[in-house]
Amino acid sequence: MLLSAVKGLYMAKRDYYEVLGVSKTASEDEIKKAYRKLAMQNHPDTHPNDKAAEERFKEASEAYEVLSDPKKRSAYDQFGFSGMNDFQGGAAGNYSNVYRDFSDIFGGSSGFSDFFSSFFGGGGRQQRGGSYGEPGASLRYDITITFSEAVNGCKKEISFGHKVKCSSCGGTGGTGKKTCPTCHGTGRVTRGNGFFQMASTCTNCGGSGYVIEHPCASCHGTGTEVKNEKLSVTIPAGVDDGSRLTLRGKGDAGINGGPDGDLVLFITVRPDKYFVREGNDVYLQIPISITQAALGSSVLVPTIDGINIKMDIPAGIQSGTMLRVKGKGVPQLRGSSRGDMYIRVMVETPRRLSLKAKELLKELRNEIKEDSSPEPMEFHS
């Protein structure tokens, strides 16, 4: 009779391959993709109060825990559900494999991985006394600088507001601290029984593991207050549009002993009127006259350093020719080398000519015997 009951229990469970919708020869990547799809479709965060979706999520997680572990998968393939008895806690007793892969599966999404941590009682950074320290929020600050400031570096003063420890209570939240009667100082509460148990942050103490009988009048027991701060920031030479600079510990204060968050600067660089940047190289276009192109010349060319340099234009240069000046590009970010400057020479044709100029050009044409026949073009596939 006991054997029949056990068989009935296993028969009620769906085959793990069927749950994930994959074949028994499915690869590790195929199994992971199938689980990701099911978990996204049935995640309780996107289906609140939907018990059916929650059960499908649990079922898919249990199937993935077994099929993503080579030893468990082999035992399951040979002996079915009964083969899971050799593993501590059975098929659904240990979700370390799922939790380990969860960040990878969901691309590091903190929302899903945090939920998984609370759902199966994993993760979290527990402090002494049972409370769970949480890092403070990282903050974003958008800053716009000029092209010259980006390539040469600069200092900027920024103003921002962030949460710091309350100056009145020193971050304690008040006086009369005692162990939380709901979680008994652990900072977590567990609900459910059987194979699945759901652990979550204690709502009575907010995960701290204690409650405060006399909350601070300034912060109302939160332990933090908002402070407006001015900060001098050094923008290093070589930053580019879209660069980010992280100021460690300048975000919101951590909770329950957790580390402070960061302040992340998102940098926007205004385009320059003359220079175009590609990596650490810069490009500049200069006009020259027909006579300069034909006879050769020396011209003054601006640089990103604000200094003009003399450049020799070789006789007979063609319009569109690119000349390179080594080491006159953008400094490497936090390095010693520099990119190059490329100068595109554009020959300008005069639009207004005097009668004498026209006659001289006609004489020049006859003298040099201009040939206007076409030349073959090269096409690259």
Side-chain angles (χ1 to χ4, degrees):
M1 184 173 180
L2 177 60
L3 181 60
S4 298
V6 172
K7 288 183 177 179
L9 173 63
Y10 289 139
M11 289 176 63
K13 294 168 68 70
R14 287 204 298 155
D15 175 72
Y16 289 143
Y17 291 101
E18 179 186 346
V19 170
L20 296 182
V22 297
S23 68
K24 290 188 176 182
T25 59
S27 66
E28 182 180 341
D29 286 341
E30 289 173 330
I31 290 173
K32 183 177 289 189
K33 288 179 181 179
Y35 172 60
R36 183 185 189 279
K37 180 179 179 181
L38 288 171
M40 292 286 285
Q41 290 175 345
N42 299 290
H43 200 286
D45 273 359
T46 57
H47 296 278
N49 303 319
D50 187 340
K51 292 297 182 182
E54 182 178 314
E55 288 303 318
R56 289 193 296 270
F57 178 78
K58 293 176 181 178
E59 185 182 41
S61 296
E62 180 180 330
Y64 179 71
E65 165 61 21
V66 173
L67 299 185
S68 62
D69 185 309
K71 291 183 179 179
K72 291 182 181 180
R73 182 178 181 181
S74 177
Y76 177 72
D77 288 344
Q78 292 183 62
F79 307 109
F81 294 110
S82 61
M84 299 298 97
N85 293 336
D86 293 334
F87 296 91
Q88 185 178 2
N94 180 3
Y95 282 84
S96 59
N97 201 42
V98 186
Y99 184 75
R100 184 187 66 245
D101 290 344
F102 211 76
S103 294
D104 175 51
I105 292 172
F106 289 100
S109 172
S110 60
F112 284 119
S113 59
D114 288 347
F115 174 84
F116 187 85
S117 171
S118 64
F119 195 81
F120 293 108
R125 280 171 283 189
Q126 192 167 8
Q127 308 293 327
R128 286 184 300 175
S131 61
Y132 281 76
E134 296 184 12
S138 290
L139 307 177
R140 170 174 177 158
Y141 189 97
D142 292 289
I143 184 170
T144 300
I145 60 177
T146 66
F147 181 86
S148 177
E149 289 173 330
V151 298
N152 297 307
C154 63
K155 284 186 177 291
K156 291 289 184 179
E157 187 175 83
I158 63 174
S159 299
F160 65 101
H162 63 140
K163 292 180 181 179
V164 298
K165 288 183 179 179
C166 175
S167 57
S168 298
C169 66
T172 62
T175 59
K177 182 188 294 186
K178 67 177 183 179
T179 301
C180 174
T182 303
C183 66
H184 306 292
T186 65
R188 313 281 276 182
V189 291
T190 304
R191 298 188 299 273
N193 50 44
F195 282 153
F196 292 96
Q197 292 185 343
M198 182 175 180
S200 60
T201 302
C202 177
T203 57
N204 188 47
C205 65
S208 65
Y210 59 84
V211 292
I212 299 173
E213 292 183 305
H214 308 290
C216 171
S218 298
C219 67
H220 306 290
T222 63
T224 61
E225 61 183 3
V226 176
K227 177 184 178 182
N228 292 318
E229 187 173 347
K230 287 186 177 180
L231 197 64
S232 179
V233 178
T234 299
I235 307 294
V239 297
D240 202 351
D241 186 63
S243 294
R244 299 181 186 182
L245 296 181
T246 301
L247 306 180
R248 300 295 181 190
K250 291 298 182 179
D252 284 347
I255 302 172
N256 302 326
D260 295 342
D262 302 325
L263 179 64
V264 184
L265 304 184
F266 285 69
I267 298 176
T268 298
V269 180
R270 294 195 192 100
D272 188 77
K273 185 177 181 180
Y274 302 109
F275 293 100
V276 175
R277 177 177 177 178
E278 289 189 11
N280 288 334
D281 296 329
V282 292
Y283 293 79
L284 175 69
Q285 184 168 288
I286 61 168
I288 61 173
S289 67
I290 290 179
T291 55
Q292 286 177 311
L295 302 176
S297 177
S298 292
V299 296
L300 290 177
V301 177
T303 67
I304 60 174
D305 300 315
I307 302 173
N308 293 336
I309 61 173
K310 182 183 289 187
M311 168 163 282
D312 292 329
I313 304 296
I317 194 170
Q318 300 299 302
S319 185
T321 299
M322 195 82 77
L323 304 176
R324 184 178 73 158
V325 182
K326 295 187 66 175
K328 287 298 181 179
V330 180
Q332 182 183 8
L333 185 62
R334 298 184 179 88
S336 57
S337 64
R338 295 184 59 160
D340 300 328
M341 179 169 70
Y342 291 87
I343 301 169
R344 184 185 297 276
V345 177
M346 302 302 293
V347 180
E348 288 191 333
T349 303
R351 291 183 173 85
R352 294 185 178 87
L353 294 173
S354 65
L355 290 175
K356 184 177 180 180
K358 289 181 179 179
E359 291 299 322
L360 289 172
L361 284 175
K362 288 178 181 178
E363 289 182 23
L364 175 63
R365 181 181 61 189
N366 294 332
E367 178 66 24
I368 63 177
K369 296 180 174 60
E370 287 182 344
D371 183 9
S372 59
S373 60
E375 293 184 356
M377 295 180 64
E378 294 184 2
F379 293 91
H380 301 280
S381 58

